[in-house]
Structures are given as structure tokens and as C-alpha cells.
Amino acid sequence: MTETFLDKAYDTTGIEATRDLYTSWAASYEAEVSQNGYATPRRCAEALSAFTTDFAAPILDFGCGTGLSGLALSLAGFRTIDGMDLTQDMLDRAAQKQLYRSLSLSDPTAPFPVRSGAYAAISAIGVIGSGAAPIDVFDMLLGVLDPSGKFVLSFNDHTLEDPAFETRLYDSVANGTARLLGESYGDHLPGINMKSKVYVLEKT
Ligand SMILES: C[S@@+](CC[C@H](N)C(=O)[O-])C[C@H]1O[C@@H](n2cnc3c(N)ncnc32)[C@H](O)[C@@H]1O
């Protein structure tokens, strides 16, 4: 049987290997995840919208990929969405959706180019975890939110198997850096029977 990108994704580690994976996957990513019923972007966008009053305030869709997460945010009512991603080929596809205010390539080896308070909310939908960005990205994103800024993110089943990811999130709540507004476990890629947890945090 031919190995799909989804089969390969969860074993990938490191910046170069992750960029190579998504560069090769860019053309078929949407078809493959859509065939499997990719549900996490809608779940994240709806969870964040429940804690949002100003839908015009800027939101950063970190790890925006081809823009499926931006599309879900847009459908949930968010109107000012900037996208950022590690992989130019994914960004090129996001640009075709014409729903982002701006799109930029991120360089994990350089200082994070986002000033504190620039965004009312940040999303990292399907971005942090095995086969994608390391857990330090969680602290980096939380770190640029001002108090009351919101952070929506997801961890899939593979990521939840490694307690380091959830531990870091719950530590941020326990040490008073963030408040957990909501958490729910549900469909991620039902076609391969994978679920994810969606969290909404508020910076304190
Ligand atoms: C599974 S895709 C999710 C894309 C999009 N958010 C969605 O829901 O369809 C993961 C994305 O994270 C990006 N990514 C992985 N590691 C990253 C990092 N360290 N910084 C920024 N983006 C990263 C990849 O290039 C890829 O586009």
C-alpha cells in the first residue's frame, strides 16, 4: 500500500524535515485531510468565537498552512487574519484563498517578529505537536499576547500521547500565565479515526 503524507507526518522531527514534508505535501494536503473529514479548524474557530466580542481585531493564524484554518476563522466571523508559516509552498496556496490581510514566512532560528500586543488572538491549529512545531512554540505565542489576549490551539491524539505537550499547557495555567477558558476533545480526522483536543486560553 502506498504511504500517504498523513502516515509520514507524525514521525517527522526537526525544522528542515518538517519544512521538507510540508513542501512536498503542499499540492495534495487539502485533498488528503479533507477526504478524512478534517474537523479541527472549525472546532477551533467556533471555540474561539465563543470568547470573542470584537471580530475585526487582528488575529494571527500561526502555522496557517494552505489556509484551511484561516478559512474556518473567516467562516466563524473573524475579519482581520494574518497568516504565518514555515513553508513557502503552503503559504502560496493560502494566498490563493485571498482571505488573509498578510502572509509571512516564519524562521524558527530568528527572533519571533511579532511585537507584544499586536494581536488580540492567536491560533495554532494542527501546528504544535508530533510532526510539526515543538512545544517551545507554545510559550513563544503565549508570550506575545497582552493580558486578556486569547490563544486557541489543538493537540491531536499523537501529540497527546506525549505528556510533555499538555503538561506545558497546564503548567501555564497553574503558574498563572494563562487561564483555561475551554477545552474539548472531538473529531480531528474521523476518516482515520483520529481525534484532537481544542483549548482556548486567555493570557492573564
Ligand atoms: C498540519 S498543518 C496545519 C495547517 C493549518 N493550520 C490547517 O489547519 O490546515 C501544519 C503547518 O504548520 C507549519 N509548521 C510546522 N512547524 C512550524 C513552525 N515551527 N513554525 C511555523 N509553522 C510551522 C507547517 O509548515 C504546516 O503548514
Side-chain angles (χ1 to χ4, degrees), residues 72-93:
L73 290 165
S74 170
L75 290 170
F78 294 92
R79 296 202 296 277
T80 313
I81 312 167
D82 290 340
M84 189 179 279
D85 201 276
L86 176 71
T87 310
Q88 187 61 50
D89 289 63
M90 297 293 272
L91 284 173
D92 291 345
R93 284 173 168 78

Side-chain angles (χ1 to χ4, degrees), residues 18 22 29 38 41 62-65 68-69 85-87 90 106 125-126 133:
T18 302
Y22 285 100
Y29 172 84
Y38 189 33
F62 185 82
C64 62
L68 290 178
S69 40
D85 201 276
L86 176 71
T87 310
M90 297 293 272
S106 65
I125 300 174

Side-chain angles (χ1 to χ4, degrees), residues 6 9-10 14-15 18-19 21-23 25 29-30 33 38 40-42 61-70 72 84-91 100 104-108 112 123-134 137 140 154 156 188:
L6 276 173
Y10 305 114
I15 297 168
T18 302
R19 194 186 284 116
L21 168 77
Y22 285 100
T23 300
W25 197 359
Y29 172 84
E30 290 204 359
V33 299
Y38 189 33
T40 295
R42 180 187 50 76
D61 181 18
F62 185 82
C64 62
T66 61
L68 290 178
S69 40
M84 189 179 279
D85 201 276
L86 176 71
T87 310
Q88 187 61 50
D89 289 63
M90 297 293 272
L91 284 173
Y100 289 97
S104 53
L105 191 61
S106 65
D107 176 0
F112 190 44
S123 62
I125 300 174
V127 176
I128 300 173
S130 39
V137 166
M140 180 185 84
S154 63
N156 65 32
H188 178 58

